[in-house]
Amino acid sequence: MPLLQFVTITVVLIGARILARKVFQRRHQRSSARESDKHTGGSTVSTVLIVGLNALAELYLESVSELSDGEVEVAGILGRSERQVGRRVGTHPILGMPEDIERVLKQLEIEGVAVDCIVIAIPCASSSAEAREALREIERSGTVKLLALADHYGMDGWRGLTSAPDSGANWRLLRFTPDELGLIEGRKYWPVKRAFDLVGSLVILILASPIIALVAMLVAIDLGTPVMFSQRRPGLRGRPFKVYKFRTMSEAYDLSGSRIDDSHRSSALGRLLRRLRLDELPQLYNVLIGDMSFVGPRPLLPADQAPDYKARLLVRPGLTGWAQVEGGRIVDQADKAAMDVWYVQNASMLLDLRILLLTVPMVILGDRVNRDAIERAWRDLQATGICAHWSRASFKPARRAAPLSAGVTKPAE
């Protein structure tokens, strides 16, 4: 008992400190994003990676903080020296050197962070030949937009290497029609749902802290540290957040930088944790701080979140959802999207309780497909004016951008 009490108190104290810091950092971001939503009907979020750490980069960070209204998110910075790696500039991590840009982009892709634009803050003459060649290769691939601040201010810096700033396709846009926004306006259930999520996640985190500590210890023994990993996913109204999980796989790349096949990365413990959904226990923290809910559409990787089914982002993503208990991992993306949007239209306390109850046999017995529920979702969507343009025949998932380099694939975790 003293050991369990010590573990519980330690987890609660550390969790409270992390929660307080997270809430403080997010308060300004949410208020500015909410003000932006009033004018745009949704969120337009672009993720940038800054190359170089100098006065110009700091000026850009200040501009993002004051003027972006939550529409620009900085994934990280590439600093001047190895001693800076691992440190932070404000809340922004220094991920490596300019020469490491391809490795950093690979690592961000594994974490679910889709970089839309690379902002170059260093002069061309002061950058290494390796960094310049890496940037040229990225520009030739066309997967990420490049913006040199020197060129942007009319100075002869990287001209001929970077493309002119525009509103091209690499900038992710997410807007909602008035009909889609009408789904969430005036719904009295949303405050009740959030209160249930807040109280429920706090109670479960306290009660389950010994289990969480045990799983963390087993993962540390099996795979080493860190015991958790995070991935960036689109959340409520498309605003990105970090979803946390226990690690169930080894590193994605070997010491030579080659991609390791997913079949060789998973251990017996990892497969068991994924089968029992114990790897998702850290997502209770996401529920507690308001990034997720107990029930809602599962958060997808940015590459899998097609504009064709953006209406599923009108509610917070969930630990479990209608598409999971009635379709599982077997049905295709179109059917899952239809069931997610059907849930958005029909969310209620009774439906949420039903989904939670159905989650228990799903975890124990495995996924099952309810064809009647899928057909009902399609019929209801076609009967309403909100998603009347949807159909099985016309649905086409978003085309995924070309990989940054050969062998880079979507992370299996």
Side-chain angles (χ1 to χ4, degrees), residues 87-105:
R87 300 181 180 180
R88 287 180 174 269
V89 179
T91 59
H92 310 298
I94 301 177
L95 304 175
M97 300 279 290
E99 295 78 14
D100 304 326
I101 186 167
E102 291 187 342
R103 177 188 63 79
V104 170
L105 288 173

Side-chain angles (χ1 to χ4, degrees), residues 223-283:
L223 298 174
T225 57
V227 298
M228 289 195 299
F229 80 104
S230 63
Q231 283 186 329
R232 194 70 59 89
R233 305 287 177 96
L236 179 64
R237 296 201 173 196
R239 286 190 287 269
F241 74 100
K242 284 187 177 181
V243 59
Y244 297 95
K245 290 185 178 183
F246 281 120
R247 288 179 59 204
T248 59
M249 290 185 173
S250 60
E251 296 294 336
Y253 295 90
D254 58 23
L255 296 178
S256 65
S258 302
R259 177 84 182 188
I260 303 174
D261 188 79
D262 291 340
S263 61
H264 297 115
R265 295 174 56 204
S266 184
S267 65
L269 175 64
R271 289 189 293 270
L272 178 63
L273 293 179
R274 290 164 66 91
R275 173 68 180 79
L276 298 178
R277 302 314 202 265
L278 292 177
D279 62 318
E280 298 179 1
L281 282 174
Q283 292 174 31

Side-chain angles (χ1 to χ4, degrees), residues 49-52 77-86 94-105 122 128 130-131 134:
L49 176 67
I50 300 177
V51 178
I77 304 170
L78 300 182
R80 294 188 298 265
S81 65
E82 291 289 347
R83 291 180 298 176
Q84 295 176 331
V85 178
I94 301 177
L95 304 175
M97 300 279 290
E99 295 78 14
D100 304 326
I101 186 167
E102 291 187 342
R103 177 188 63 79
V104 170
L105 288 173
I122 54 177
S128 66
E130 184 180 359

Side-chain angles (χ1 to χ4, degrees), residues 72-301:
V72 176
E73 181 162 348
V74 179
I77 304 170
L78 300 182
R80 294 188 298 265
S81 65
E82 291 289 347
R83 291 180 298 176
Q84 295 176 331
V85 178
R87 300 181 180 180
R88 287 180 174 269
V89 179
T91 59
H92 310 298
I94 301 177
L95 304 175
M97 300 279 290
E99 295 78 14
D100 304 326
I101 186 167
E102 291 187 342
R103 177 188 63 79
V104 170
L105 288 173
K106 288 179 182 179
Q107 184 60 40
L108 289 173
E109 184 179 4
I110 292 174
E111 296 174 2
V113 180
V115 174
D116 302 299
C117 179
I118 296 174
V119 175
I120 307 173
I122 54 177
C124 182
S126 63
S127 63
S128 66
E130 184 180 359
R132 291 196 297 268
E133 181 58 33
L135 289 170
R136 289 192 183 95
E137 184 62 30
I138 292 171
E139 185 192 37
R140 284 192 290 266
S141 69
T143 56
V144 184
K145 175 183 170 183
L146 270 62
L147 171 62
L149 294 181
D151 295 345
H152 188 68
Y153 290 123
M155 303 175 187
D156 191 6
W158 293 79
R159 288 177 185 169
L161 170 62
T162 60
S163 55
D166 55 29
S167 56
N170 285 329
W171 292 81
R172 295 195 307 274
L173 300 177
L174 180 63
R175 299 190 181 276
F176 301 101
T177 66
D179 286 337
E180 289 171 334
L181 289 174
L183 286 171
I184 59 173
E185 292 178 354
R187 189 78 68 86
K188 296 181 179 180
Y189 176 54
W190 301 136
V192 177
K193 182 180 175 70
R194 176 59 193 143
F196 176 80
D197 290 336
L198 180 62
V199 176
S201 59
L202 181 60
V203 172
I204 295 176
L205 273 172
I206 294 175
L207 295 178
S209 57
I211 299 177
I212 295 174
L214 176 62
V215 173
M217 182 179 66
L218 293 175
V219 172
I221 295 173
D222 186 46
L223 298 174
T225 57
V227 298
M228 289 195 299
F229 80 104
S230 63
Q231 283 186 329
R232 194 70 59 89
R233 305 287 177 96
L236 179 64
R237 296 201 173 196
R239 286 190 287 269
F241 74 100
K242 284 187 177 181
V243 59
Y244 297 95
K245 290 185 178 183
F246 281 120
R247 288 179 59 204
T248 59
M249 290 185 173
S250 60
E251 296 294 336
Y253 295 90
D254 58 23
L255 296 178
S256 65
S258 302
R259 177 84 182 188
I260 303 174
D261 188 79
D262 291 340
S263 61
H264 297 115
R265 295 174 56 204
S266 184
S267 65
L269 175 64
R271 289 189 293 270
L272 178 63
L273 293 179
R274 290 164 66 91
R275 173 68 180 79
L276 298 178
R277 302 314 202 265
L278 292 177
D279 62 318
E280 298 179 1
L281 282 174
Q283 292 174 31
L284 289 168
Y285 169 73
N286 290 117
V287 177
L288 181 66
I289 64 176
D291 286 334
M292 295 180 63
S293 174
F294 280 111
V295 179
R298 287 295 295 166
L300 303 175
L301 286 167

